[in-house]
Amino acid sequence: MNIDRVFHALGDPTRRAMIEKISEGPVSVSKLAKPLDITLAAVVQHLQILQQSGLVHTKKVGRIRTCRIENTGLTVAERWISDRRSLWEKRLDRLGHLLTEPDEK
Amino acid sequence: MNIDRVFHALGDPTRRAMIEKISEGPVSVSKLAKPLDITLAAVVQHLQILQQSGLVHTKKVGRIRTCRIENTGLTVAERWISDRRSLWEKRLDRLGHLLTEPDEK
């Protein structure tokens, strides 16, 4: 899964609002669209971006398309953030050791 | 810290590349700019966005401005993602219980 796609998808407040709603439980596209102040066509476009970035999965049964959370995208974003944090903290640790070494001798 | 700001900042590939570089260790603005194929003015603008979203901290000593990772922004993004995941997983758990209950009786 492309990290650029995932963060681009998460960078938009409407798409994050959609993820927030979907994470409360599976929801139909029309119910998802209702509180959002945009056209249904715009909702569908946002959903496509969310699907392509592995954040949301949709499935049509009969006439109703239902949206669910897909973990792939969330995992990609989480991993990127925690990698940055751990690299930085390791670096701070090494710096800490360098600074305390003279006292330990 | 504003969640919109943080995800907007992380949504840009150049800004993520800057965070990746800075997370390896404190770095001057000019060194940070070198591998990026953009003007120094653009780098400074990106840095301002990263600072305003609590992802990067800069400090000027003499003529050199050094960039460091600030944890606030990363924490805000991590928390939003893990909240979505835990809400969704709780929902799946409840659904799982509902589905297995008839067999348990």
Side-chain angles (χ1 to χ4, degrees):
Chain A
M1 190 47 64
N2 189 314
I3 186 98
D4 281 334
R5 271 197 179 162
V6 176
F7 275 108
H8 170 252
L10 291 173
D12 181 90
T14 303
R15 287 195 288 268
R16 282 202 312 284
M18 291 166 76
I19 295 177
E20 284 172 7
K21 179 66 190 162
I22 299 170
S23 66
E24 292 169 8
V27 62
S28 68
V29 176
S30 54
K31 262 196 189 156
L32 182 67
K34 222 171 184 178
L36 301 168
D37 202 19
I38 52 174
T39 63
L40 192 63
V43 171
V44 169
Q45 267 191 329
H46 281 310
L47 267 180
Q48 275 171 351
I49 293 171
L50 290 172
Q51 284 183 90
Q52 284 160 3
S53 52
L55 289 158
V56 166
H57 168 78
T58 77
K59 196 180 172 183
K60 198 169 183 178
V61 177
R63 289 179 56 196
I64 296 174
R65 182 172 290 278
T66 304
C67 312
R68 291 157 197 278
I69 291 291
E70 166 133 33
N71 274 325
T72 323
L74 290 181
T75 305
V76 165
E78 257 175 347
R79 201 163 297 163
W80 185 88
I81 295 170
S82 72
D83 283 353
R84 301 290 81 70
R85 189 195 291 282
S86 68
L87 256 178
W88 179 248
E89 282 168 0
K90 261 183 215 157
R91 165 81 208 194
L92 285 187
D93 277 353
R94 279 204 304 276
L95 211 66
H97 279 297
L98 283 173
L99 290 171
T100 53
E101 258 171 19
D103 295 328
E104 284 166 4
K105 275 171 197 165
Chain B
M1 189 47 63
N2 189 315
I3 185 97
D4 281 335
R5 270 197 180 164
V6 176
F7 275 109
H8 170 253
L10 290 174
D12 182 90
T14 303
R15 287 195 288 268
R16 282 203 313 284
M18 289 165 77
I19 295 176
E20 284 173 7
K21 178 67 190 164
I22 299 169
S23 66
E24 293 169 7
V27 61
S28 69
V29 175
S30 54
K31 262 196 189 157
L32 183 66
K34 222 171 185 180
L36 302 168
D37 202 19
I38 52 174
T39 63
L40 193 64
V43 171
V44 169
Q45 266 190 331
H46 281 310
L47 267 179
Q48 274 170 353
I49 292 172
L50 290 171
Q51 283 183 91
Q52 283 159 2
S53 52
L55 289 159
V56 166
H57 169 78
T58 75
K59 195 179 174 185
K60 197 168 183 178
V61 177
R63 291 178 55 195
I64 297 176
R65 182 172 290 278
T66 305
C67 311
R68 290 157 198 279
I69 291 293
E70 167 132 32
N71 274 326
T72 323
L74 291 181
T75 305
V76 165
E78 258 175 347
R79 202 164 295 163
W80 186 88
I81 295 171
S82 71
D83 283 354
R84 301 291 80 70
R85 188 195 291 282
S86 67
L87 256 177
W88 179 249
E89 282 168 0
K90 262 183 214 156
R91 166 80 209 195
L92 286 187
D93 278 353
R94 280 204 304 276
L95 211 67
H97 280 297
L98 283 174
L99 289 172
T100 53
E101 258 171 18
D103 296 325
E104 283 166 5
K105 274 172 197 165

